[in-house]
Amino acid sequence: MGPDWSDQDIEAMRAALAEAALAAGSDEVPVGAVVLVDNEIIAQGHNSSIANSDPSGHAEIVALRRAAERLGNYRLPSATLYVTLEPCVMCVGAIVQARVGRVVFGAYDEKAGALGSAADLTDSKALNHRFEINGGLLADECSALLQQFFKSRR
């Protein structure tokens, strides 16, 4: 169970859900992400691996790239990353490299989540940065979008 969610947390996750819907509309797995700095969404992204033939085209990485470009710095210590699905191992690596201060995610990912579900990199000695993690924000809505997407593919 997550913390007492602020209105800002909910608003940011709703923006991430809107990004996830864009991914679904492009036949990508519907995951969306936004980056918040100083109470402002400075970047967003959604899965684009298929469209861009890019295995690193996950929502988190797309949003982090855009945030870094906008700020002119790949380090984002004051940023909060909101993502509709628990980040995978690759995305946790990018989060660590960017020095993100906080990650808020919606649905837990029992198959590939790396912040406690399938793997737990939260206390790995291999990672030289720690960040705040809050999971479960609008989890039902985030999960429903994913379930609907995969149900339509069966």
Side-chain angles (χ1 to χ4, degrees), residues 105-121:
F105 64 88
Y108 287 84
D109 185 353
E110 298 300 325
K111 292 182 180 177
L115 294 180
S117 292
D120 189 354
L121 298 181

Side-chain angles (χ1 to χ4, degrees), residues 37-97:
V37 174
D38 295 331
N39 303 318
E40 176 190 354
I41 293 174
I42 64 160
Q44 60 260 354
H46 56 269
N47 277 3
S48 59
S49 294
I50 297 167
N52 295 327
S53 300
D54 179 3
S56 70
H58 289 198
E60 301 94 319
I61 292 178
V62 172
L64 289 172
R65 282 181 180 146
R66 290 176 177 164
E69 186 176 333
R70 178 164 176 191
L71 296 178
N73 190 341
Y74 75 102
R75 298 292 169 113
L76 306 168
S78 62
T80 298
L81 174 68
Y82 293 84
V83 60
T84 59
L85 183 65
E86 180 182 358
C88 70
V89 171
M90 175 181 69
C91 291
V92 170
I95 290 162
V96 168
Q97 291 302 313

